[in-house]
Amino acid sequence: MRVAAIVAYDGTKFNGFQGQPKVRTVQGEFEKVLKRIFKQKVISWGAGRTDTGVHGYGQVIAFDVPNERMTLENIKDALNANLPEDIYVRKVLKVRDKFSPRHEATKRIYHYFIYQNDEPNIFLRDRVWWFPYDLNIEKMRKAAKYLEGEHDFTTFKTGNDDRNPVRTIYRIRILKMRNNIILIRVEGHSFLRRMVRNIVGALVKVGTENWEPEYIKEILEAKSRSKAPASAPPQGLYFYSVLF
Amino acid sequence: MRVAAIVAYDGTKFNGFQGQPKVRTVQGEFEKVLKRIFKQKVISWGAGRTDTGVHGYGQVIAFDVPNERMTLENIKDALNANLPEDIYVRKVLKVRDKFSPRHEATKRIYHYFIYQNDEPNIFLRDRVWWFPYDLNIEKMRKAAKYLEGEHDFTTFKTGNDDRNPVRTIYRIRILKMRNNIILIRVEGHSFLRRMVRNIVGALVKVGTENWEPEYIKEILEAKSRSKAPASAPPQGLYFYSVLF
Protein backbone atom coordinates (compact mmCIF):
# COMPACT_ATOMS: atom_id res chain seq x y z
CA MET A 1 0.00 0.00 0.00
CA ARG A 2 1.32 3.44 -0.91
CA VAL A 3 0.35 6.30 1.38
CA ALA A 4 0.87 10.08 1.41
CA ALA A 5 1.55 11.91 4.66
CA ILE A 6 0.65 15.61 4.94
CA VAL A 7 3.52 16.96 7.00
CA ALA A 8 4.16 20.18 8.94
CA TYR A 9 7.65 21.08 10.08
CA ASP A 10 9.45 23.94 11.73
CA GLY A 11 12.38 24.48 9.38
CA THR A 12 14.55 26.35 11.88
CA LYS A 13 16.79 23.43 12.84
CA PHE A 14 16.85 21.55 9.54
CA ASN A 15 19.27 21.79 6.65
CA GLY A 16 16.27 21.89 4.38
CA PHE A 17 13.85 19.16 3.35
CA GLN A 18 15.82 16.88 1.10
CA GLY A 19 17.77 13.97 2.57
CA GLN A 20 21.56 14.35 2.49
CA PRO A 21 24.25 12.46 4.37
CA LYS A 22 25.59 13.87 7.65
CA VAL A 23 23.20 16.83 8.07
CA ARG A 24 19.80 16.99 9.74
CA THR A 25 17.06 17.17 7.10
CA VAL A 26 13.29 16.66 7.28
CA GLN A 27 13.38 13.73 4.87
CA GLY A 28 16.35 12.22 6.68
CA GLU A 29 14.55 12.33 10.04
CA PHE A 30 11.37 11.02 8.42
CA GLU A 31 13.12 8.03 6.82
CA LYS A 32 14.95 7.30 10.08
CA VAL A 33 11.56 7.00 11.78
CA LEU A 34 10.12 4.87 8.94
CA LYS A 35 13.03 2.48 9.41
CA ARG A 36 12.45 2.35 13.17
CA ILE A 37 8.72 1.64 12.76
CA PHE A 38 8.94 -0.90 9.93
CA LYS A 39 12.32 -2.47 10.80
CA GLN A 40 13.52 -2.02 7.24
CA LYS A 41 14.64 0.76 4.94
CA VAL A 42 11.65 2.60 3.44
CA ILE A 43 12.20 5.14 0.65
CA SER A 44 10.14 8.36 0.66
CA TRP A 45 9.24 10.94 -2.00
CA GLY A 46 8.44 14.58 -1.22
CA ALA A 47 6.37 17.06 -3.24
CA GLY A 48 9.04 19.75 -3.18
CA ARG A 49 12.32 20.80 -1.63
CA THR A 50 12.55 23.55 0.93
CA ASP A 51 15.75 25.33 1.99
CA THR A 52 17.24 25.70 5.46
CA GLY A 53 14.93 27.66 7.74
CA VAL A 54 11.90 27.36 5.44
CA HIS A 55 8.85 25.74 7.05
CA GLY A 56 6.41 23.11 5.90
CA TYR A 57 2.72 23.13 6.59
CA GLY A 58 1.35 20.95 3.80
CA GLN A 59 4.41 19.10 2.51
CA VAL A 60 3.40 15.75 1.03
CA ILE A 61 5.60 12.69 1.59
CA ALA A 62 4.68 9.39 -0.07
CA PHE A 63 6.02 5.95 0.84
CA ASP A 64 5.10 2.28 0.59
CA VAL A 65 3.92 0.66 3.81
CA PRO A 66 5.62 -2.71 4.32
CA ASN A 67 3.21 -3.78 7.06
CA GLU A 68 -0.19 -4.29 5.46
CA ARG A 69 -1.98 -4.74 8.79
CA MET A 70 -1.49 -1.16 9.95
CA THR A 71 -4.39 1.25 9.45
CA LEU A 72 -3.85 4.83 8.26
CA GLU A 73 -4.55 6.01 11.81
CA ASN A 74 -1.98 3.55 13.20
CA ILE A 75 0.62 4.85 10.77
CA LYS A 76 -0.08 8.48 11.67
CA ASP A 77 0.15 7.73 15.39
CA ALA A 78 3.33 5.68 15.04
CA LEU A 79 4.99 8.44 13.01
CA ASN A 80 4.02 11.20 15.45
CA ALA A 81 5.10 9.13 18.45
CA ASN A 82 8.57 8.74 16.92
CA LEU A 83 9.20 11.95 15.01
CA PRO A 84 11.12 14.82 16.68
CA GLU A 85 9.09 17.73 18.07
CA ASP A 86 9.70 19.88 14.99
CA ILE A 87 7.94 17.52 12.55
CA TYR A 88 4.25 16.62 12.77
CA VAL A 89 2.18 14.41 10.48
CA ARG A 90 -1.22 16.06 10.08
CA LYS A 91 -2.82 13.30 8.02
CA VAL A 92 -2.07 9.99 6.29
CA LEU A 93 -4.02 9.12 3.13
CA LYS A 94 -4.07 6.04 0.94
CA VAL A 95 -2.92 6.82 -2.62
CA ARG A 96 -2.65 4.65 -5.69
CA ASP A 97 0.51 2.63 -6.36
CA LYS A 98 3.26 4.56 -8.16
CA PHE A 99 1.79 7.89 -6.99
CA SER A 100 4.55 10.53 -7.14
CA PRO A 101 3.94 13.75 -5.18
CA ARG A 102 6.61 15.56 -7.12
CA HIS A 103 5.50 14.63 -10.63
CA GLU A 104 1.76 14.66 -10.11
CA ALA A 105 1.43 17.95 -8.26
CA THR A 106 -0.64 20.39 -10.33
CA LYS A 107 -0.40 23.33 -7.94
CA ARG A 108 1.96 24.31 -5.13
CA ILE A 109 1.04 27.10 -2.73
CA TYR A 110 3.57 29.02 -0.65
CA HIS A 111 2.76 31.51 2.11
CA TYR A 112 5.21 34.23 3.08
CA PHE A 113 4.65 36.23 6.29
CA ILE A 114 6.05 39.71 6.87
CA TYR A 115 5.75 41.30 10.32
CA GLN A 116 5.66 45.00 9.57
CA ASN A 117 6.25 46.87 12.82
CA ASP A 118 8.76 49.31 14.31
CA GLU A 119 9.69 46.91 17.08
CA PRO A 120 10.44 43.21 16.57
CA ASN A 121 8.49 40.47 18.33
CA ILE A 122 10.94 37.91 19.65
CA PHE A 123 8.23 35.25 19.84
CA LEU A 124 7.93 35.42 16.05
CA ARG A 125 11.64 35.61 15.25
CA ASP A 126 11.84 32.21 13.51
CA ARG A 127 8.36 32.50 11.96
CA VAL A 128 8.19 35.77 10.01
CA TRP A 129 10.34 38.41 8.33
CA TRP A 130 10.43 41.39 10.66
CA PHE A 131 10.33 44.48 8.47
CA PRO A 132 10.44 47.84 10.26
CA TYR A 133 9.54 50.11 7.29
CA ASP A 134 6.28 51.05 5.63
CA LEU A 135 5.07 49.00 2.68
CA ASN A 136 2.78 50.25 -0.04
CA ILE A 137 0.56 47.23 -0.54
CA GLU A 138 -1.24 48.64 -3.58
CA LYS A 139 2.04 49.06 -5.44
CA MET A 140 3.13 45.56 -4.42
CA ARG A 141 -0.11 44.13 -5.82
CA LYS A 142 0.41 45.99 -9.07
CA ALA A 143 3.98 44.65 -9.34
CA ALA A 144 2.85 41.09 -8.58
CA LYS A 145 0.53 41.16 -11.62
CA TYR A 146 3.58 41.22 -13.93
CA LEU A 147 4.74 37.90 -12.49
CA GLU A 148 1.50 36.00 -12.97
CA GLY A 149 1.32 33.71 -15.99
CA GLU A 150 3.99 31.76 -17.84
CA HIS A 151 7.42 33.44 -17.91
CA ASP A 152 11.11 32.69 -18.01
CA PHE A 153 12.01 33.24 -14.34
CA THR A 154 15.80 33.21 -14.76
CA THR A 155 15.99 36.56 -12.95
CA PHE A 156 14.29 35.07 -9.90
CA LYS A 157 16.36 31.96 -9.31
CA THR A 158 19.40 31.58 -7.09
CA GLY A 159 22.01 28.88 -6.79
CA ASN A 160 22.38 25.76 -8.86
CA ASP A 161 19.23 25.12 -10.81
CA ASP A 162 19.73 24.11 -14.41
CA ARG A 163 16.13 23.12 -15.03
CA ASN A 164 13.92 24.83 -17.57
CA PRO A 165 13.49 28.39 -16.23
CA VAL A 166 10.02 28.75 -17.75
CA ARG A 167 7.43 28.43 -14.98
CA THR A 168 3.78 29.31 -14.50
CA ILE A 169 2.52 31.37 -11.57
CA TYR A 170 -1.25 31.10 -11.35
CA ARG A 171 -1.78 33.82 -8.84
CA ILE A 172 -0.10 36.08 -6.25
CA ARG A 173 -2.26 37.52 -3.47
CA ILE A 174 -1.10 40.06 -0.90
CA LEU A 175 -3.25 40.32 2.20
CA LYS A 176 -3.09 42.58 5.25
CA MET A 177 -3.83 40.37 8.24
CA ARG A 178 -4.36 41.29 11.88
CA ASN A 179 -1.50 42.31 14.18
CA ASN A 180 0.72 43.89 11.49
CA ILE A 181 1.13 40.69 9.51
CA ILE A 182 1.26 40.81 5.71
CA LEU A 183 0.69 37.53 3.89
CA ILE A 184 2.02 37.00 0.38
CA ARG A 185 0.42 33.89 -1.12
CA VAL A 186 2.04 32.52 -4.28
CA GLU A 187 0.34 29.78 -6.29
CA GLY A 188 2.17 28.09 -9.13
CA HIS A 189 2.75 24.82 -10.88
CA SER A 190 6.34 24.46 -9.72
CA PHE A 191 9.14 26.78 -8.69
CA LEU A 192 12.84 27.31 -9.27
CA ARG A 193 15.33 27.40 -6.42
CA ARG A 194 14.64 30.33 -4.06
CA MET A 195 12.13 31.69 -6.55
CA VAL A 196 9.44 32.55 -3.99
CA ARG A 197 11.92 34.30 -1.68
CA ASN A 198 13.35 36.24 -4.63
CA ILE A 199 9.87 37.28 -5.69
CA VAL A 200 9.07 38.45 -2.15
CA GLY A 201 12.37 40.36 -2.02
CA ALA A 202 11.48 42.14 -5.26
CA LEU A 203 7.91 42.91 -4.17
CA VAL A 204 9.22 44.43 -0.94
CA LYS A 205 11.55 46.68 -2.99
CA VAL A 206 8.39 47.97 -4.65
CA GLY A 207 6.57 48.20 -1.33
CA THR A 208 9.23 50.51 0.09
CA GLU A 209 8.88 52.64 -3.07
CA ASN A 210 12.51 52.11 -4.03
CA TRP A 211 11.24 50.56 -7.25
CA GLU A 212 8.18 51.34 -9.33
CA PRO A 213 5.88 48.36 -10.01
CA GLU A 214 6.77 48.48 -13.72
CA TYR A 215 10.41 47.82 -12.91
CA ILE A 216 9.46 44.22 -12.01
CA LYS A 217 8.40 43.66 -15.62
CA GLU A 218 11.72 45.06 -16.76
CA ILE A 219 13.89 42.79 -14.59
CA LEU A 220 11.74 39.76 -15.46
CA GLU A 221 12.26 40.41 -19.16
CA ALA A 222 16.00 40.95 -18.67
CA LYS A 223 16.31 37.22 -17.76
CA SER A 224 19.38 38.06 -15.76
CA ARG A 225 20.12 36.92 -12.24
CA SER A 226 22.18 40.04 -11.58
CA LYS A 227 18.96 42.09 -11.73
CA ALA A 228 17.43 40.19 -8.82
CA PRO A 229 17.21 41.87 -5.45
CA ALA A 230 18.25 40.18 -2.21
CA SER A 231 16.16 37.13 -1.29
CA ALA A 232 13.64 37.52 1.50
CA PRO A 233 14.88 35.57 4.55
CA PRO A 234 13.83 31.91 4.87
CA GLN A 235 11.98 32.04 8.20
CA GLY A 236 8.94 33.83 6.71
CA LEU A 237 8.32 31.12 4.10
CA TYR A 238 5.90 28.17 4.46
CA PHE A 239 5.30 25.41 1.92
CA TYR A 240 1.58 25.65 2.52
CA SER A 241 -0.12 23.08 0.32
CA VAL A 242 0.02 20.89 -2.74
CA LEU A 243 -2.84 20.06 -5.09
CA PHE A 244 -2.91 17.02 -7.39
CA MET B 1 21.50 57.41 36.85
CA ARG B 2 19.26 54.44 37.57
CA VAL B 3 17.22 53.09 34.67
CA ALA B 4 14.57 50.40 34.24
CA ALA B 5 14.52 48.24 31.11
CA ILE B 6 11.24 46.65 29.98
CA VAL B 7 12.38 43.27 28.74
CA ALA B 8 10.83 40.51 26.62
CA TYR B 9 12.37 37.06 26.50
CA ASP B 10 11.65 33.66 25.06
CA GLY B 11 12.10 31.43 28.11
CA THR B 12 12.59 28.20 26.14
CA LYS B 13 16.38 28.08 26.40
CA PHE B 14 16.84 29.69 29.81
CA ASN B 15 17.08 28.12 33.24
CA GLY B 16 14.67 30.76 34.42
CA PHE B 17 15.15 34.46 35.04
CA GLN B 18 17.30 34.68 38.13
CA GLY B 19 21.08 34.70 37.82
CA GLN B 20 22.81 31.51 39.02
CA PRO B 21 26.34 30.27 38.40
CA LYS B 22 26.97 27.85 35.52
CA VAL B 23 23.52 27.86 33.92
CA ARG B 24 22.06 30.14 31.26
CA THR B 25 19.61 32.57 32.84
CA VAL B 26 18.02 35.79 31.58
CA GLN B 27 19.58 37.89 34.32
CA GLY B 28 22.95 36.20 33.80
CA GLU B 29 22.94 37.00 30.06
CA PHE B 30 21.72 40.53 30.78
CA GLU B 31 24.51 41.25 33.30
CA LYS B 32 27.10 39.74 30.94
CA VAL B 33 26.02 42.29 28.33
CA LEU B 34 26.00 45.15 30.87
CA LYS B 35 29.60 44.26 31.72
CA ARG B 36 30.56 44.20 28.04
CA ILE B 37 28.95 47.59 27.35
CA PHE B 38 30.17 49.41 30.47
CA LYS B 39 33.50 47.59 30.96
CA GLN B 40 32.67 46.95 34.60
CA LYS B 41 30.39 44.75 36.67
CA VAL B 42 26.87 46.21 36.86
CA ILE B 43 24.33 44.69 39.24
CA SER B 44 20.71 44.34 38.09
CA TRP B 45 17.37 43.89 39.88
CA GLY B 46 14.34 42.19 38.36
CA ALA B 47 10.66 42.61 39.21
CA GLY B 48 10.05 38.88 39.59
CA ARG B 49 11.50 35.44 38.97
CA THR B 50 10.27 33.20 36.23
CA ASP B 51 10.96 29.46 35.96
CA THR B 52 12.57 27.51 33.11
CA GLY B 53 10.49 27.77 29.93
CA VAL B 54 8.35 30.67 31.20
CA HIS B 55 8.46 33.76 29.00
CA GLY B 56 8.82 37.45 29.72
CA TYR B 57 7.01 40.21 27.91
CA GLY B 58 7.09 43.04 30.45
CA GLN B 59 9.80 41.97 32.89
CA VAL B 60 11.41 45.04 34.49
CA ILE B 61 15.16 45.09 35.12
CA ALA B 62 16.72 48.08 36.92
CA PHE B 63 20.41 48.99 37.02
CA ASP B 64 22.70 51.97 37.54
CA VAL B 65 24.32 53.35 34.39
CA PRO B 66 28.04 53.98 34.97
CA ASN B 67 28.41 56.08 31.81
CA GLU B 68 26.44 59.29 32.32
CA ARG B 69 26.86 60.43 28.73
CA MET B 70 24.69 57.71 27.22
CA THR B 71 21.10 58.58 26.43
CA LEU B 72 18.23 56.17 27.14
CA GLU B 73 18.02 55.44 23.41
CA ASN B 74 21.78 54.71 23.29
CA ILE B 75 21.42 52.28 26.18
CA LYS B 76 18.50 50.49 24.56
CA ASP B 77 20.37 50.16 21.26
CA ALA B 78 23.59 49.00 22.90
CA LEU B 79 21.71 46.34 24.89
CA ASN B 80 19.79 45.04 21.88
CA ALA B 81 22.92 44.98 19.73
CA ASN B 82 24.65 42.76 22.30
CA LEU B 83 21.87 40.61 23.78
CA PRO B 84 21.21 37.12 22.38
CA GLU B 85 18.27 36.69 19.99
CA ASP B 86 15.96 35.41 22.73
CA ILE B 87 16.09 38.60 24.84
CA TYR B 88 14.84 41.98 23.62
CA VAL B 89 14.73 45.32 25.47
CA ARG B 90 11.46 47.01 24.52
CA LYS B 91 12.13 50.26 26.38
CA VAL B 92 14.56 51.96 28.75
CA LEU B 93 13.19 54.50 31.24
CA LYS B 94 14.88 56.76 33.75
CA VAL B 95 13.79 55.95 37.31
CA ARG B 96 14.68 57.55 40.63
CA ASP B 97 17.76 56.43 42.56
CA LYS B 98 17.18 53.40 44.80
CA PHE B 99 14.17 52.33 42.72
CA SER B 100 13.55 48.61 43.30
CA PRO B 101 11.31 46.82 40.77
CA ARG B 102 10.75 43.95 43.14
CA HIS B 103 9.78 45.93 46.23
CA GLU B 104 7.89 48.73 44.57
CA ALA B 105 5.71 46.70 42.22
CA THR B 106 2.06 47.16 43.14
CA LYS B 107 0.63 44.82 40.52
CA ARG B 108 2.03 41.93 38.46
CA ILE B 109 0.11 40.58 35.49
CA TYR B 110 0.62 37.11 34.03
CA HIS B 111 -0.89 35.78 30.81
CA TYR B 112 -1.38 32.08 30.24
CA PHE B 113 -2.24 30.79 26.74
CA ILE B 114 -4.00 27.49 26.09
CA TYR B 115 -4.33 26.20 22.52
CA GLN B 116 -7.48 24.14 22.61
CA ASN B 117 -7.62 22.04 19.46
CA ASP B 118 -7.69 18.35 18.46
CA GLU B 119 -4.44 18.65 16.53
CA PRO B 120 -1.30 20.39 17.83
CA ASN B 121 0.32 23.31 16.00
CA ILE B 122 4.08 22.75 15.91
CA PHE B 123 4.72 26.45 15.31
CA LEU B 124 3.23 27.18 18.75
CA ARG B 125 4.84 24.29 20.62
CA ASP B 126 7.06 26.49 22.86
CA ARG B 127 4.45 29.25 23.18
CA VAL B 128 1.20 27.72 24.43
CA TRP B 129 -0.21 24.72 26.27
CA TRP B 130 -1.74 22.45 23.64
CA PHE B 131 -4.89 21.01 25.19
CA PRO B 132 -6.89 18.59 23.00
CA TYR B 133 -10.06 18.38 25.16
CA ASP B 134 -13.09 20.61 25.55
CA LEU B 135 -13.07 23.27 28.25
CA ASN B 136 -16.15 24.72 29.89
CA ILE B 137 -15.15 28.37 30.14
CA GLU B 138 -18.19 29.39 32.21
CA LYS B 139 -17.30 26.87 34.92
CA MET B 140 -13.66 28.00 34.85
CA ARG B 141 -14.75 31.61 35.37
CA LYS B 142 -16.92 30.59 38.30
CA ALA B 143 -14.02 28.67 39.86
CA ALA B 144 -11.64 31.59 39.36
CA LYS B 145 -13.89 33.83 41.47
CA TYR B 146 -13.00 31.79 44.58
CA LEU B 147 -9.34 32.68 44.10
CA GLU B 148 -9.76 36.43 43.83
CA GLY B 149 -9.02 38.45 46.96
CA GLU B 150 -6.63 37.83 49.85
CA HIS B 151 -6.09 34.18 50.74
CA ASP B 152 -3.54 31.75 52.11
CA PHE B 153 -2.33 30.14 48.85
CA THR B 154 -0.37 27.27 50.44
CA THR B 155 -2.32 24.80 48.27
CA PHE B 156 -1.13 26.54 45.12
CA LYS B 157 2.60 26.72 45.70
CA THR B 158 5.24 24.22 44.62
CA GLY B 159 8.86 23.80 45.59
CA ASN B 160 10.85 25.74 48.15
CA ASP B 161 9.02 28.88 49.08
CA ASP B 162 8.96 29.68 52.76
CA ARG B 163 7.57 33.18 52.37
CA ASN B 164 4.25 34.27 53.78
CA PRO B 165 1.66 32.24 51.83
CA VAL B 166 -0.95 34.97 52.12
CA ARG B 167 -1.26 36.74 48.77
CA THR B 168 -3.79 38.96 47.03
CA ILE B 169 -5.18 38.23 43.58
CA TYR B 170 -6.94 41.28 42.22
CA ARG B 171 -8.57 39.64 39.29
CA ILE B 172 -8.61 36.57 37.02
CA ARG B 173 -10.05 36.93 33.54
CA ILE B 174 -10.60 34.08 31.08
CA LEU B 175 -11.00 35.10 27.45
CA LYS B 176 -11.72 33.12 24.30
CA MET B 177 -9.48 34.55 21.62
CA ARG B 178 -9.34 33.83 17.89
CA ASN B 179 -7.86 30.62 16.48
CA ASN B 180 -8.73 28.36 19.43
CA ILE B 181 -6.63 30.30 21.93
CA ILE B 182 -7.84 30.74 25.51
CA LEU B 183 -6.15 33.47 27.55
CA ILE B 184 -6.11 33.31 31.34
CA ARG B 185 -5.02 36.68 32.74
CA VAL B 186 -4.06 36.74 36.41
CA GLU B 187 -3.47 40.06 38.19
CA GLY B 188 -2.06 40.10 41.68
CA HIS B 189 0.26 41.92 44.03
CA SER B 190 2.86 39.15 44.11
CA PHE B 191 2.91 35.40 43.66
CA LEU B 192 4.33 32.28 45.28
CA ARG B 193 6.50 29.84 43.38
CA ARG B 194 4.58 28.22 40.48
CA MET B 195 1.37 29.77 41.82
CA VAL B 196 0.04 30.92 38.44
CA ARG B 197 0.73 27.56 36.79
CA ASN B 198 -0.91 25.72 39.68
CA ILE B 199 -3.96 27.99 39.42
CA VAL B 200 -4.20 27.33 35.68
CA GLY B 201 -3.84 23.58 36.30
CA ALA B 202 -6.72 23.71 38.78
CA LEU B 203 -8.93 25.84 36.53
CA VAL B 204 -8.39 23.39 33.66
CA LYS B 205 -9.52 20.53 35.96
CA VAL B 206 -12.75 22.48 36.35
CA GLY B 207 -12.89 23.22 32.62
CA THR B 208 -12.80 19.51 31.75
CA GLU B 209 -15.62 18.99 34.28
CA ASN B 210 -13.54 16.66 36.40
CA TRP B 211 -14.02 19.10 39.26
CA GLU B 212 -16.95 21.32 40.13
CA PRO B 213 -16.09 25.03 40.51
CA GLU B 214 -16.86 24.87 44.25
CA TYR B 215 -14.09 22.32 44.74
CA ILE B 216 -11.54 25.10 44.15
CA LYS B 217 -12.81 26.82 47.30
CA GLU B 218 -12.43 23.56 49.20
CA ILE B 219 -8.81 22.91 48.18
CA LEU B 220 -7.89 26.57 48.80
CA GLU B 221 -9.28 26.36 52.33
CA ALA B 222 -7.51 23.03 52.96
CA LYS B 223 -4.15 24.91 52.78
CA SER B 224 -2.51 21.68 51.75
CA ARG B 225 -0.12 21.25 48.85
CA SER B 226 -1.23 17.65 48.39
CA LYS B 227 -4.64 18.94 47.19
CA ALA B 228 -3.07 20.82 44.29
CA PRO B 229 -3.46 19.44 40.79
CA ALA B 230 -0.56 19.14 38.35
CA SER B 231 0.96 22.48 37.31
CA ALA B 232 0.15 23.76 33.85
CA PRO B 233 3.30 23.50 31.68
CA PRO B 234 5.69 26.49 31.61
CA GLN B 235 5.60 27.32 27.89
CA GLY B 236 2.09 28.83 28.07
CA LEU B 237 3.06 31.38 30.74
CA TYR B 238 4.15 34.99 30.11
CA PHE B 239 5.18 37.55 32.73
CA TYR B 240 3.16 40.20 30.97
CA SER B 241 3.56 43.45 32.91
CA VAL B 242 4.38 45.13 36.17
CA LEU B 243 2.74 48.24 37.58
CA PHE B 244 4.35 50.50 40.18
Side-chain angles (χ1 to χ4, degrees):
Chain A
M1 172 171 70
R2 184 162 292 188
V3 298
I6 316 296
V7 181
Y9 49 89
D10 173 353
T12 313
K13 290 179 187 152
F14 290 106
N15 283 285
F17 175 77
Q18 171 132 333
Q20 299 169 57
K22 290 183 185 169
V23 293
R24 187 174 188 263
T25 68
V26 176
Q27 192 176 28
E29 292 297 307
F30 196 87
E31 292 192 349
K32 213 189 281 174
V33 166
L34 289 175
K35 190 173 180 183
R36 196 183 310 152
I37 295 172
F38 297 114
K39 321 275 188 250
Q40 59 183 268
K41 178 156 176 59
V42 178
I43 295 166
S44 70
W45 300 274
R49 301 178 187 185
T50 54
D51 285 331
T52 301
V54 173
H55 312 295
Y57 181 72
Q59 173 71 276
V60 176
I61 306 178
F63 58 94
D64 291 320
V65 181
N67 176 346
E68 295 289 343
R69 282 192 294 186
M70 280 178 95
T71 67
L72 298 173
E73 202 56 32
N74 291 157
I75 297 166
K76 179 186 169 188
D77 292 346
L79 286 166
N80 284 326
N82 284 283
L83 283 165
E85 61 166 15
D86 45 4
I87 307 180
Y88 182 74
V89 173
R90 294 169 50 213
K91 210 174 257 187
V92 176
L93 305 161
K94 190 176 179 336
V95 292
R96 61 172 179 67
D97 289 354
K98 313 283 177 200
F99 171 79
S100 161
R102 184 170 148 219
H103 295 105
E104 295 175 44
T106 55
K107 193 192 261 191
R108 289 172 173 85
I109 303 173
Y110 282 87
H111 282 182
Y112 196 97
F113 291 100
I114 297 172
Y115 179 63
Q116 198 262 307
N117 198 35
D118 291 350
E119 295 281 310
N121 176 335
I122 53 160
F123 301 108
L124 297 177
R125 71 187 183 287
D126 293 326
R127 305 278 177 259
V128 299
W129 181 12
W130 169 49
F131 196 79
Y133 309 102
D134 281 341
L135 290 170
N136 183 327
I137 302 289
E138 277 315 313
K139 287 197 168 183
M140 291 169 73
R141 286 182 180 139
K142 205 171 158 192
K145 284 285 163 218
Y146 295 113
L147 301 171
E148 291 179 353
E150 187 181 277
H151 302 285
D152 179 326
F153 282 98
T154 298
T155 303
F156 293 92
K157 72 178 190 183
T158 314
N160 296 323
D161 193 336
D162 296 327
R163 294 175 294 165
N164 181 353
V166 176
R167 302 282 146 163
T168 300
I169 291 183
Y170 301 123
R171 195 178 186 193
I172 300 178
R173 294 183 68 190
I174 305 175
L175 301 168
K176 276 200 127 165
M177 316 288 279
R178 294 182 198 95
N179 303 323
N180 304 308
I181 298 282
I182 294 163
L183 163 61
I184 301 178
R185 176 182 165 107
V186 184
E187 303 177 17
H189 181 276
S190 58
F191 294 88
L192 299 168
R193 192 132 192 235
R194 280 220 195 161
M195 184 169 144
V196 179
R197 287 164 58 196
N198 286 333
I199 286 173
V200 171
L203 294 178
V204 162
K205 275 270 194 191
V206 174
T208 56
E209 304 189 338
N210 279 301
W211 286 359
E212 283 306 311
E214 294 70 27
Y215 191 61
I216 295 295
K217 184 173 150 65
E218 205 173 297
I219 66 168
L220 177 67
E221 288 173 354
K223 293 172 200 164
S224 158
R225 289 166 55 179
S226 66
K227 299 279 183 185
S231 291
Q235 75 274 11
L237 186 60
Y238 296 72
F239 187 17
Y240 181 72
S241 75
V242 187
L243 278 69
F244 297 96
Chain B
M1 169 171 71
R2 184 162 291 188
V3 298
I6 316 296
V7 181
Y9 49 89
D10 172 354
T12 313
K13 290 178 188 156
F14 290 107
N15 284 286
F17 175 77
Q18 171 132 331
Q20 300 169 58
K22 291 183 187 168
V23 292
R24 187 172 187 262
T25 68
V26 177
Q27 191 175 30
E29 292 297 307
F30 196 86
E31 291 192 349
K32 213 189 280 175
V33 166
L34 289 175
K35 190 173 179 183
R36 195 183 311 151
I37 295 172
F38 298 114
K39 321 274 188 250
Q40 60 183 268
K41 179 157 176 56
V42 178
I43 296 166
S44 71
W45 300 275
R49 301 179 189 184
T50 54
D51 285 330
T52 300
V54 173
H55 311 294
Y57 181 72
Q59 173 70 278
V60 177
I61 306 178
F63 58 95
D64 291 322
V65 180
N67 176 346
E68 296 288 342
R69 282 191 293 185
M70 280 177 95
T71 66
L72 297 174
E73 203 56 31
N74 291 157
I75 296 165
K76 179 185 168 188
D77 292 346
L79 285 166
N80 284 327
N82 285 282
L83 283 165
E85 61 166 17
D86 45 4
I87 307 180
Y88 182 74
V89 173
R90 295 169 49 212
K91 210 174 255 186
V92 176
L93 305 160
K94 190 176 180 338
V95 293
R96 61 172 178 64
D97 288 356
K98 313 284 178 202
F99 171 79
S100 161
R102 183 169 150 221
H103 295 105
E104 295 174 46
T106 55
K107 191 192 263 192
R108 289 172 173 86
I109 303 174
Y110 282 88
H111 282 184
Y112 196 97
F113 291 99
I114 296 171
Y115 178 62
Q116 198 262 307
N117 198 34
D118 290 350
E119 295 281 310
N121 178 334
I122 54 159
F123 301 108
L124 297 177
R125 69 187 185 287
D126 293 326
R127 305 279 177 258
V128 299
W129 181 13
W130 169 49
F131 196 79
Y133 309 103
D134 281 341
L135 290 169
N136 183 326
I137 303 289
E138 278 316 312
K139 286 197 169 182
M140 290 169 74
R141 286 182 180 139
K142 203 171 159 193
K145 284 284 164 217
Y146 295 112
L147 301 171
E148 291 179 354
E150 186 180 279
H151 301 285
D152 180 325
F153 281 97
T154 297
T155 303
F156 292 91
K157 72 179 189 181
T158 315
N160 296 325
D161 193 337
D162 296 327
R163 294 174 294 165
N164 181 352
V166 176
R167 302 282 146 162
T168 301
I169 290 182
Y170 300 124
R171 195 178 187 193
I172 300 178
R173 293 184 70 190
I174 305 175
L175 301 169
K176 275 201 130 167
M177 316 288 279
R178 293 182 199 96
N179 302 324
N180 304 308
I181 298 282
I182 294 163
L183 163 62
I184 301 177
R185 177 182 165 107
V186 184
E187 303 177 17
H189 180 275
S190 58
F191 294 87
L192 300 168
R193 192 132 191 233
R194 280 222 196 160
M195 184 169 146
V196 179
R197 287 164 58 196
N198 286 333
I199 286 173
V200 170
L203 294 178
V204 162
K205 275 270 195 194
V206 173
T208 56
E209 304 188 339
N210 279 301
W211 286 0
E212 283 305 311
E214 295 69 29
Y215 191 61
I216 296 296
K217 184 172 150 67
E218 205 173 297
I219 66 169
L220 177 68
E221 288 173 355
K223 292 172 201 163
S224 158
R225 289 166 55 179
S226 65
K227 299 281 183 184
S231 291
Q235 75 274 12
L237 186 61
Y238 296 72
F239 187 17
Y240 182 71
S241 76
V242 187
L243 278 69
F244 297 97

